[in-house]
């Protein structure tokens, strides 16, 4: 397994370089004056423009700019944004909030989604199965901003069960409702994916053989069918964690959460390239490591999968 981990880490290097270069090029190769709007409505002085271009290496060719930037990133320096604040400090605060929000959303989709999928799978064709299929279809059909606004109004404003917005402290209780909203779409997909794979594995020969040899149906489902059914579910959850980290812009906007999604959105609005590239680079690295963990979990769920 050690060789496999080393090999995967080496494979991450060209992926990180390729993805970050594309993002860097998309941000810093955009047409227009990068200092536009930095001095309000009036045009920036030439001295400010020259200092700005020198600070961000804008006079160098794009590959040289990127090489200098990545040299700083390797040393742990993600640069400073246009307000003079280190991007690393901003990301540390915002990742702490968005990371907790994403983990809570993952917990919601694991507990509710997998449980609903198992109930639907072992009761295929019955009321519970039809209820799960219909309810998940309804959730998938509704945009996330509608779900967020509806739950915020009824559970927050009308019933007062949850705070309407999240304070700067971002406590676990304040993040619970946003986590439910953020994970609602994934809950539907996890439930359907679990149900489909469990139904397929329950019809497999190895499950029928195990039951015919005296193994109880509960153990046959839990020990054999369910473990094999979890492999595609774990794959989806691993992919979804990265998507939740970077795609929480709508939910963070609805509940006024100071997270990474809003940070990237505002960076794009004001053309703060260093902030955008730094945040996306951190997301790429986190996403790759999460996928490595998911691949290692395959061997735990299915001993036939070897990482030697």
């Amino acid at each position: 397994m050690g060789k496999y981990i080393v090999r995967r880490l080496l494979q991450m290097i060209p992926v990180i370089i390729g993805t970050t270069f594309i993002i860097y090029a998309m941000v810093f190769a955009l047409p227009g004056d990068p200092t536009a709007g930095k001095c309000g409505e009036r045009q920036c002085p030439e001295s400010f423009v020259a200092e700005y271009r020198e600070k961000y290496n804008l006079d160098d060719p794009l590959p040289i700019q990127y090489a200098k930037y990545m040299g700083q990133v390797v040393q742990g320096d993600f640069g400073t944004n246009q307000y003079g604040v280190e991007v690393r400090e901003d990301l540390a605060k915002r990742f702490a909030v968005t990371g907790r929000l994403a983990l809570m959303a993952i917990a919601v989709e694991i507990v509710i989604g997998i449980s609903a999928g198992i109930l639907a799978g072992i009761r295929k064709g019955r009321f519970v199965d039809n209820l799960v299929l219909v309810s998940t279809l309804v959730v998938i059909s509704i945009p996330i901003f509608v779900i967020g606004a509806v739950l915020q109004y009824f559970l927050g404003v009308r019933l007062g069960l949850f705070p309407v917005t999240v304070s700067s402290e971002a406590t676990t209780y304040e993040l619970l409702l946003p986590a439910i909203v953020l994970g609602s779409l994934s809950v539907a997909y996890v439930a359907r994916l679990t149900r489909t794979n469990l139904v397929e594995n329950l019809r497999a020969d190895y499950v029928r053989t195990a039951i015919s040899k005296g193994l109880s149906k509960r153990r046959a489902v839990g020990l054999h069918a369910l473990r094999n059914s979890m492999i595609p579910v774990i794959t989806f959850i691993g992919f979804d964690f990265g998507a939740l980290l970077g795609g929480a812009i709508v939910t963070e906007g609805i509940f006024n959460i100071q997270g990474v999604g809003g940070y990237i959105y505002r960076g794009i609005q004001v053309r703060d390239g260093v902030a955008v590239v730094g945040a996306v680079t951190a997301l790429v690295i986190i996403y790759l490591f999460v996928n490595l963990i998911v691949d290692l979990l395959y061997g735990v769920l299915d001993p036939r999968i070897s990482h030697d």
Side-chain angles (χ1 to χ4, degrees):
M1 181 178 291
K3 293 182 179 180
Y4 173 80
I5 295 176
V6 172
R7 186 168 66 250
R8 284 294 305 273
L9 292 176
L10 293 176
Q11 291 173 354
M12 289 182 185
I13 296 176
V15 175
I16 292 174
I17 293 175
T19 53
T20 54
F21 179 76
I22 292 174
I23 297 298
Y24 190 92
M26 291 174 63
V27 171
F28 286 98
L30 290 174
D33 184 7
T35 62
K38 298 293 189 296
C39 302
E41 296 182 357
R42 60 190 177 90
Q43 188 176 1
C44 292
E46 293 185 2
S47 58
F48 174 84
V49 174
E51 182 181 356
Y52 186 90
R53 298 187 68 86
E54 180 182 1
K55 179 180 180 181
Y56 296 109
N57 306 308
L58 298 181
D59 293 324
D60 295 329
L62 185 62
I64 303 299
Q65 295 180 36
Y66 173 75
K68 290 181 178 180
Y69 174 77
M70 289 305 295
Q72 296 176 346
V73 170
V74 171
Q75 301 174 18
D77 181 10
F78 287 86
T80 56
N81 60 24
Q82 63 182 18
Y83 304 107
V85 180
E86 288 192 8
V87 175
R88 180 176 58 185
E89 295 181 2
D90 267 347
L91 291 179
K93 297 175 183 177
R94 296 176 182 272
F95 263 113
V97 177
T98 302
R100 287 168 54 208
L101 178 62
L103 288 174
M104 292 174 65
I106 289 291
V108 169
E109 66 182 78
I110 288 176
V111 174
I112 300 179
I114 293 180
S115 299
I118 293 173
L119 289 175
I122 60 180
R123 290 175 171 81
K124 182 178 179 296
R126 301 181 184 178
F127 173 76
V128 174
D129 183 28
N130 294 325
L131 178 63
V132 170
L133 290 177
V134 172
S135 60
T136 53
L137 182 61
V138 170
V139 172
I140 293 172
S141 304
I142 302 176
I144 191 69
F145 65 87
V146 175
I147 297 176
V150 169
L151 292 183
Q152 184 184 47
Y153 175 72
F154 283 102
L155 299 183
V157 178
R158 293 290 298 273
L159 300 178
L161 299 177
F162 298 97
V164 178
T165 59
V166 176
S167 66
S168 58
E169 298 178 357
T171 63
T172 301
Y173 179 65
E174 291 176 336
L175 291 175
L176 183 57
L177 183 58
I180 295 173
V181 173
L182 185 61
S184 58
L185 186 61
S186 299
V187 165
Y189 286 121
V190 168
R192 283 177 163 260
L193 192 59
T194 303
R195 181 235 181 226
T196 301
N197 285 278
L198 184 58
V199 169
E200 181 180 352
N201 281 289
L202 287 175
R203 293 198 300 258
D205 292 337
Y206 69 91
V207 175
R208 290 199 297 263
T209 302
I211 295 176
S212 65
K213 289 185 176 181
L215 192 67
S216 65
K217 185 176 181 180
R218 177 177 296 182
R219 286 185 58 82
V221 171
L223 189 62
H224 297 290
L226 185 58
R227 288 183 61 179
N228 290 336
S229 302
M230 286 297 101
I231 293 179
V233 177
I234 292 297
T235 303
F236 175 83
I237 292 174
F239 162 79
D240 197 44
F241 181 73
L244 291 176
L245 282 177
I249 297 177
V250 175
T251 304
E252 290 180 356
I254 293 174
F255 293 95
N256 192 33
I257 301 173
Q258 303 301 313
V260 177
Y263 184 74
I264 295 175
Y265 179 71
R266 282 187 289 273
I268 294 173
Q269 280 187 315
V270 300
R271 294 197 63 178
D272 192 349
V274 176
V276 174
V277 175
V280 174
T281 299
L283 286 174
V284 169
I285 295 173
I286 292 173
Y287 183 74
L288 290 174
F289 275 98
V290 169
N291 274 270
L292 174 59
I293 295 174
V294 169
D295 288 346
L296 294 177
L297 286 175
Y298 289 165
V300 176
L301 294 172
D302 191 346
R304 296 173 299 178
I305 300 177
S306 175
H307 295 303
D308 294 334

